[in-house]
Structures are given as structure tokens and as C-alpha cells.
């Protein structure tokens, strides 16, 4: 396998990376208040008509990854939880649902996985061009070990339905499915302990 490494600004419109079938990323999380004037301009340009309020820089990285992904490409990313719930990201989430429907949305409340993160971390897996019928929702509480336990359950998972979500309510984590219409009807993409 030949590997070519190149250092570049992923958000620079002049940078034209080769499309990848799978993109795994942990983009920088930067709130609007922490962005420089140039970063704010760049974020506005990348988000285009999806720009609202005070977006997080990580949204631009996801947007760019989806834009360069081929049909059938998968993007897996970590994000601040606020991007799943914030009104500023509602239009952006709606476009993602149409362009690259989410396969998985996770809220990882337990900080043991990301000890040095200054925000609550979410996981998002998108499937460009898919006609997604359902999204797996994963929620873990702030209880130590909850995120790890939920990730192990996700790896063992066959198909979580309503009965599994009911059972998990007393657990510090939950995994359940939402149909694409149920997801679009919700004001946020934030997973919850139960349905």
C-alpha cells in the first residue's frame, strides 16, 4: 500500500483532497467565541446556507468531509454534544440527514474515554447517499465506565428495539433505533436514556 502524506488546511477551498471511501476524524472543537476573524469567515464560507448563529468549527470539517466523500462513503467523527442539540446547527443537521444520513449518533457522557476534553463528546457516523431507514442512538451517562459499557454493548449488538431501550432505562447507558422520520421529527439529535 502506498501512502502519501500532505500537510494542508482541510478547509482551504484550494485544497482538493482525494475522496476516501471511509473518513475517520476528530476535528478541532472551537466555539464561535474562540475563533479568530479569519476562522469565522472560513466557517461561514464552508457552511454556506447552513450557517446560523454561532456554530462550532467542527461542523465545517464534517461538512467538507461529506462534500468530498463519494456516494457510499462513510464519515465517522467525534463532535461536541452541543452540535447535536444546538439550534444553530438545526439546518445543518437537516441537510446531513438528506445528504449523508446518520447510521449512528452517540452521546458519551462518561469522561473516562476523553479525560482531557473540555466539552461533552458525541460520535456521529454518516453514510453519504444512503437511503437510511433507521439510526442507532447511543446514550451513556456520566457514571464512570458507562461509555465503555455502551461501546461494548454496541459491538455485541444484533438489533436493539423498543424492548431493549426499556430494559436499559435503569442502566447508565442505552442503545435504541429511530426511524429516519422519527429522527427528523425531533428538535435535536441528542440521544436520551429512553425513547
Amino acid at each position: 500500500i502506498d501512502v502519501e502524506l500532505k500537510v494542508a488546511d482541510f478547509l482551504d477551498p484550494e485544497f482538493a483532497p482525494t475522496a476516501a471511501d471511509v473518513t475517520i476524524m476528530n476535528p478541532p472543537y472551537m466555539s464561535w467565541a474562540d475563533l479568530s476573524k479569519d476562522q469565522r469567515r472560513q466557517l461561514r464560507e464552508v457552511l454556506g446556507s447552513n450557517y446560523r448563529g454561532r456554530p462550532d468549527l467542527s461542523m465545517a470539517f464534517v461538512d467538507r468531509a461529506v462534500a468530498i466523500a463519494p456516494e457510499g462513503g462513510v464519515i465517522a467523527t467525534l463532535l461536541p454534544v452541543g452540535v447535536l442539540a444546538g439550534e444553530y446547527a438545526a439546518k445543518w443537521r437537516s441537510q446531513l440527514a438528506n445528504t449523508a444520513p446518520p447510521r449512528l449518533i452517540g452521546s458519551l457522557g462518561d469522561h473516562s474515554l476523553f479525560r482531557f476534553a473540555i466539552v461533552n463528546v458525541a460520535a456521529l457516523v454518516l453514510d453519504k447517499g444512503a437511503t437510511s431507514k433507521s439510526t442507532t442512538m447511543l446514550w451513556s451517562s456520566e457514571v464512570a465506565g458507562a461509555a465503555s459499557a455502551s461501546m461494548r454493548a454496541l459491538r455485541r449488538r444484533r438489533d436493539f428495539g423498543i424492548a431493549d431501550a426499556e430494559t436499559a432505562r435503569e442502566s447508565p447507558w442505552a442503545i435504541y433505533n429511530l426511524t429516519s422520520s422519527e429522527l427528523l421529527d425531533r428538535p435535536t439529535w441528542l440521544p436520551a436514556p429512553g425513547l
Side-chain angles (χ1 to χ4, degrees):
I1 296 176
D2 291 331
V3 176
E4 179 185 337
L5 296 178
K6 183 175 183 179
V7 177
D9 180 351
F10 188 61
L11 300 182
D12 183 346
E14 300 296 316
F15 175 55
T18 304
D21 291 332
V22 177
T23 301
I24 301 171
M25 62 184 189
N26 183 5
Y29 312 161
M30 289 185 75
S31 69
W32 185 258
D34 294 330
L35 297 175
S36 70
K37 187 183 251 185
D38 285 340
Q39 288 170 317
R40 288 178 181 184
R41 178 193 50 75
Q42 193 175 37
L43 181 54
R44 271 192 208 105
E45 288 172 5
V46 172
L47 293 180
S49 66
N50 290 324
Y51 171 82
R52 295 280 184 277
R54 298 166 55 108
D56 189 272
L57 183 62
S58 62
M59 293 166 59
F61 281 82
V62 173
D63 222 48
R64 183 91 159 105
V66 169
I68 66 168
E71 288 293 310
V74 175
I75 298 98
T77 186
L78 298 175
L79 296 166
V81 165
V83 172
L84 299 179
E87 178 61 33
Y88 64 87
K91 187 174 180 190
W92 178 79
R93 289 190 304 266
S94 180
Q95 182 185 352
L96 279 181
N98 292 320
T99 309
R103 283 186 182 182
L104 171 80
I105 301 172
S107 173
L108 308 170
D110 170 11
H111 288 280
S112 63
L113 291 178
F114 306 100
R115 286 189 314 226
F116 302 108
I118 57 173
V119 297
N120 286 337
V121 177
L124 187 61
V125 178
L126 305 167
D127 192 351
K128 185 168 180 181
T131 53
S132 180
K133 302 233 183 317
S134 72
T135 301
T136 300
M137 305 293 281
L138 179 144
W139 169 85
S140 67
S141 73
E142 65 283 345
V143 172
S148 296
S150 68
M151 299 300 267
R152 283 191 301 278
L154 186 64
R155 286 193 301 269
R156 290 189 310 265
R157 175 182 184 261
R158 288 190 199 105
D159 186 31
F160 278 81
I162 293 172
D164 297 301
E166 293 291 330
T167 308
R169 281 196 184 158
E170 297 187 23
S171 170
W173 57 269
I175 300 173
Y176 54 95
N177 290 331
L178 290 179
T179 66
S180 54
S181 60
E182 287 172 328
L183 183 64
L184 289 173
D185 286 345
R186 293 167 55 119
T188 78
W189 281 5
L190 199 59
L195 295 175

